[in-house]
């Protein structure tokens, strides 16, 4: 069996490190790359020469501010090295974005999703058409698309791009990889939407706190309830997960949930659940598939005017969320909680219940209330999470396949 030599592996790891530093900081001079990575100047030279030859990075010159002296030579990712398509599936639309290798947005459009029951087969056909449409609009050749990064609410298989359960398609599974082959050769990845939100918030937080960053949870409120947890990994990088929070048990034999089970957190805190309790509809009524925000706004307005039942519906939703968060904290560790999603517009009505729900647990009584912050612009975070993850996957793939081919002709050593 042939194995790569250890020098080869070290070199690959260092190349990925250089690319990730350029991603994080943008264009950098040779010495800055050396400072950020801790690698020697000679190593940086060898790596950047090779990446430049492979047309992965490029040089640009920056005139000194004084206008005199030698220009600074900066290195950065080449925009046309390859492309990424981001597909964001939400309850009422699918958004397509085309992004170049340097992370610049080139084109974007959204298509409304029909709420017909034809389900997954028609949906997959619509996604394939959407992907071809964005390619056609930009006139980029299909082989230049290196990766298709998809996100949805719901449960995602941890190793394959398979949507296992979603609020939209229920347990009708979608395997995006086989749905897009053989038409597409690009790599296909699929992530839970709130996991991406947590990833983006974690990356932002680590930029500020550096080595002091430990962990953070993102709670997304809307038609469904999502949770993402990001924690510092053992070595470098972050560990991100999206437990099935919305369908964790809140109350045994409780209200009927969209998933078919009874008593889930979502059956008390999802938009449909708030609507159900505000209208005092029996808890075993099959919940509405899609509730317009305007409907919830009306209930919220009544609650703010002091009407008892609508106010109770929000408080009860908050309580379910607070209880759920306290269980999550008991199983992990104390961490800040960032609340996002369309439901943040009702945070004033949910807050009391959330704090009460948290305060009922031993862990919170012992360690105190975790920091809770409201973060708007969930859509920006989802996209940011896509870029962070997808571009680092592309960087790694390029180093492992593309550049290696070039290296192979020069220095490859194999032992077996
Ligand atoms: Zn459920």
């Amino acid at each position: 069996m042939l194995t790569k030599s250890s020098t080869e592996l070290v070199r690959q790891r260092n190349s990925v490190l250089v690319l990730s530093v350029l991603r994080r900081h943008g264009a950098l001079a040779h010495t800055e790359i050396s400072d950020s990575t801790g690698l020697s100047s000679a190593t940086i030279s060898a790596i950047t020469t090779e990446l430049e030859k492979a047309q992965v990075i490029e040089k640009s010159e920056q005139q000194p501010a004084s206008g005199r002296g030698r220009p600074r030579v900066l290195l950065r990712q080449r925009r046309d090295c390859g492309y990424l398509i981001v597909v964001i599936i939400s309850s009422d639309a699918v958004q397509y974005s085309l992004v170049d290798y340097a992370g610049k947005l080139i084109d974007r459009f959204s298509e409304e999703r029909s709420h017909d029951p034809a389900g997954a087969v028609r949906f997959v056909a619509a996604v394939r058409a959407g992907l071809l449409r964005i390619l056609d609009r930009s006139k980029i050749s299909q082989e230049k698309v290196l990766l298709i990064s998809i996100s949805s609410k719901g449960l995602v298989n941890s190793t394959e791009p398979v949507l296992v359960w979603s609020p939209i398609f229920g347990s009708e599974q979608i395997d995006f990889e086989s749905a897009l082959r053989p038409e597409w050769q690009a790599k296909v990845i699929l992530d839970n939407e709130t996991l991406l939100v947590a990833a983006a918030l974690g990356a932002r937080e680590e930029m500020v706190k550096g080595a002091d960053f430990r962990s953070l949870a993102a709670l997304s409120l809307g038609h469904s309830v999502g949770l993402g947890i990001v924690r510092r990994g053992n070595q470098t990088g972050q560990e991100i997960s999206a437990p099935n929070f919305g369908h964790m048990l809140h109350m045994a034999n409780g209200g009927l949930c969209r998933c078919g089970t009874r008593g889930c957190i979502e059956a008390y805190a999802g938009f449909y659940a708030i609507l159900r309790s505000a209208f005092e509809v029996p808890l075993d009524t099959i919940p509405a598939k899609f509730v317009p925000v305007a409907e919830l706004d009306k209930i919220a307005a009544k609650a703010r005017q002091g009407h008892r039942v609508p106010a109770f519906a929000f408080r009860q939703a908050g309580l379910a969320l607070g209880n759920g968060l306290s269980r999550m904290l008991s199983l992990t560790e104390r961490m800040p909680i960032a609340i996002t999603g369309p439901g943040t517009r009702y945070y004033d009505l949910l807050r009391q219940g959330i704090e009460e729900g948290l305060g009922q647990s031993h862990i919170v009584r012992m360690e105190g209330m975790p920091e809770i912050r409201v973060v708007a612009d969930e859509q920006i975070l989802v996209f940011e999470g896509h870029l962070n993850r997808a571009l680092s996957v592309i960087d790694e793939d390029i180093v492992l396949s593309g550049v290696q081919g070039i290296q192979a002709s020069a220095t490859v050593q194999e032992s077996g």
Side-chain angles (χ1 to χ4, degrees), residues 40 49 94 113 125 134 151 164 269 276 296 324 329 387 403:
S40 73
T49 305
V94 182
R113 253 180 28 75
I134 204 159
S151 66
V164 178
R276 184 167 63 186
L296 261 279
L329 295 176
L387 292 196
V403 180

Side-chain angles (χ1 to χ4, degrees), residues 247 257 259 264:
H247 303 280
C257 180
C259 71
C264 299

Side-chain angles (χ1 to χ4, degrees), residues 28 160 398:
L28 289 180
E160 309 281 322
I398 281 180

Side-chain angles (χ1 to χ4, degrees), residues 181-376:
R181 301 271 183 267
E183 200 171 10
W184 289 87
Q185 285 311 302
K187 188 172 201 163
V188 180
I189 60 173
L190 172 70
D191 281 302
N192 169 281
E193 190 180 287
T194 317
L195 179 141
L196 294 176
V197 170
L201 287 171
R204 283 186 189 182
E205 188 102 337
E206 199 164 356
M207 286 287 257
V208 179
K209 288 192 175 168
D212 288 336
F213 172 76
R214 277 187 61 84
S215 52
L216 179 146
L219 176 68
S220 172
L221 304 179
H223 302 289
S224 51
V225 176
L227 183 87
I229 301 173
V230 53
R231 306 168 81 174
R232 168 178 287 281
N234 285 333
Q235 290 142 12
T236 51
Q238 299 184 334
E239 285 169 7
I240 316 162
S241 59
N244 195 10
F245 183 82
H247 303 280
M248 230 164 74
L249 185 65
H250 171 57
M251 202 180 285
N253 298 312
L256 184 60
C257 180
R258 275 196 299 190
C259 71
T261 317
R262 284 180 163 274
C264 299
I265 290 177
E266 198 183 286
Y268 290 85
F271 279 1
Y272 71 83
I274 296 172
L275 187 83
R276 184 167 63 186
S277 48
F279 284 100
E280 298 184 282
V281 175
L283 284 178
D284 57 356
T285 308
I286 300 290
K289 245 201 162 148
F290 184 78
V291 182
V293 169
E295 281 298 309
L296 261 279
D297 280 350
K298 278 188 225 160
I299 299 169
K302 283 201 178 136
R304 288 182 187 119
Q305 284 160 16
H307 291 268
R308 198 183 55 83
V309 177
F312 179 73
F314 281 103
R315 186 145 164 263
Q316 190 177 236
L319 197 64
L321 295 169
N323 280 166
L325 289 172
S326 76
R327 291 183 178 119
M328 184 272 289
L329 295 176
S330 305
L331 293 170
T332 53
E333 61 184 14
R334 189 181 147 87
M335 62 179 84
I337 296 158
I339 300 183
T340 65
T344 50
R345 60 204 282 133
Y346 314 119
Y347 185 64
D348 58 325
L349 299 166
L350 295 166
R351 186 178 165 179
Q352 197 194 351
I354 291 178
E355 288 177 357
E356 197 184 320
L358 274 164
Q360 287 169 349
S361 68
H362 184 237
I363 185 85
V364 172
R365 276 194 261 160
M366 295 281 291
E367 297 182 351
M369 210 41 98
E371 179 203 330
I372 299 180
R373 55 181 102 145
V374 174
V375 185

